[in-house]
Amino acid sequence: MSLFQLKPESKRYVESDGPIRYLDPGHIDRPISMPRVQIAIMAAFVLVGAIIAWQLYNNIDDAVFGAAERKQQEIDANLARDIAFDAPVISSLVYLDDNTIRQTFTDAGYAMHEYSDPADYPNGGFESARMPADMNYDEAVALFDQGIASLDAVEASKLLKGMWMYSVDRTEYLDMRVRYVDFASGSLDAAIDAAMMQQGLSADTMLAENGSGVDEVGNTFKAGTLDIDGVIYQWRVSAVPLSDMYGISGLPENAVYVGVRLTA
């Protein structure tokens, strides 16, 4: 027999009735127990696993709910900024040419971003946006050029608070407009009244017929005429919910998009 040949382990049997032989079950009848050291090690692994699971839960909870809360706080902080509303009174600009209007804005200290193509205004006119006074100019312009509709609520609340857009078109007749977002008034009617007050438009100058209401595209408006040095101009102040203009989730539901127009 080879020295390396293993001798088969003998099986223990217990004889029972007749020639039937049964394996001895004694070795599996013993109580199963784990050494205390192994129990302690297992408990330690369970504790470590519980700690890791708790940390993962907290991280996920913070990523989902904490991020949303921080985003809302940032939006609220953007909208709480104390920025004076300094849109121009457009009735004071009707006799000025384009370059003089530009210089008037510069003299007022406005950080303007002219975004129109001169080719679109062969007879005179331009479009320009006043960037918020407390924002970095390049950052504000980058957000504006990206497109307001493509911004998230944090970016939009930062840009739209304190920004207004001015346009003048002399193609067929004089058409001046100022547009902005009103976060303070809380309703369409209140936003229109605030715009009229800021522009010096009195309710006494409203049209007797069709001087207020809702137009065919859903704008709530007030309209009238204004006599400036013997020239009659038509004015119109319109308002729609900001959400109708830009589908930006997270901005206040009562934010109002306002447009002031003066034509002659």
Side-chain angles (χ1 to χ4, degrees):
M1 177 182 294
S2 170
L3 294 175
F4 299 100
Q5 183 175 354
L6 298 178
K7 182 178 180 180
E9 182 182 354
S10 61
K11 297 183 173 58
R12 293 178 295 174
Y13 295 92
V14 174
E15 284 198 25
S16 186
D17 298 337
I20 300 175
R21 300 169 66 87
Y22 300 94
L23 287 173
D24 182 3
H27 63 288
I28 63 174
D29 285 342
R30 293 174 298 176
I32 299 175
S33 60
M34 182 181 294
R36 292 183 177 180
V37 174
Q38 293 182 357
I39 292 175
I41 293 174
M42 180 178 292
F45 274 111
V46 171
L47 179 60
V48 171
I51 294 173
I52 293 173
W54 177 253
Q55 289 176 337
L56 289 174
Y57 171 80
N58 284 338
N59 290 340
I60 294 172
D61 182 70
D62 180 70
V64 175
F65 299 103
E69 183 178 350
R70 287 190 295 272
K71 179 178 179 181
Q72 188 58 55
Q73 290 173 348
E74 194 169 355
I75 293 170
D76 294 342
N78 286 340
L79 297 180
R81 285 144 59 210
D82 185 14
I83 304 176
F85 182 67
D86 53 5
V89 176
I90 55 178
S91 61
S92 68
L93 305 175
V94 294
Y95 291 137
L96 305 182
D97 60 33
D98 293 348
N99 287 333
T100 304
I101 292 173
R102 292 185 180 99
Q103 188 60 49
T104 298
F105 291 162
T106 299
D107 293 343
Y110 301 154
M112 303 300 297
H113 169 50
E114 191 165 329
Y115 57 92
S116 57
D117 185 345
D120 294 335
Y121 296 94
N123 297 321
F126 65 94
E127 296 172 81
S128 188
R130 191 262 203 267
M131 299 294 100
D134 63 347
M135 277 191 72
N136 174 274
Y137 178 79
D138 291 335
E139 178 189 359
V141 168
L143 290 177
F144 183 87
D145 288 344
Q146 182 179 327
I148 294 174
S150 68
L151 303 179
D152 63 26
V154 172
E155 295 168 329
S157 61
K158 190 173 185 179
L159 178 67
L160 295 177
K161 180 68 182 286
M163 187 198 82
W164 45 261
M165 294 170 284
Y166 170 84
S167 67
V168 55
D169 186 355
R170 308 178 192 275
T171 302
E172 296 181 2
Y173 50 85
L174 179 67
D175 186 342
M176 284 191 178
R177 306 186 189 200
V178 170
R179 291 162 291 158
Y180 59 90
V181 178
D182 183 333
F183 289 104
S185 294
S187 70
L188 299 179
D189 290 334
I192 290 175
D193 290 343
M196 288 177 59
M197 181 178 295
Q198 191 269 334
Q199 290 290 321
L201 300 171
S202 169
D204 295 337
T205 65
M206 289 175 57
L207 295 173
E209 294 184 8
N210 301 319
S212 64
V214 178
D215 63 22
E216 64 278 2
V217 295
N219 296 311
T220 299
F221 73 93
K222 288 184 179 180
T225 58
L226 194 63
D227 186 332
I228 303 177
D229 295 334
V231 179
I232 302 301
Y233 294 82
Q234 289 75 43
W235 62 264
R236 183 183 180 93
V237 180
S238 304
V240 294
L242 179 61
S243 57
D244 288 1
M245 292 295 298
Y246 306 112
I248 304 174
S249 177
L251 292 177
E253 294 181 358
N254 61 357
V256 179
Y257 186 86
V258 178
V260 180
R261 184 181 185 187
L262 193 67
T263 58

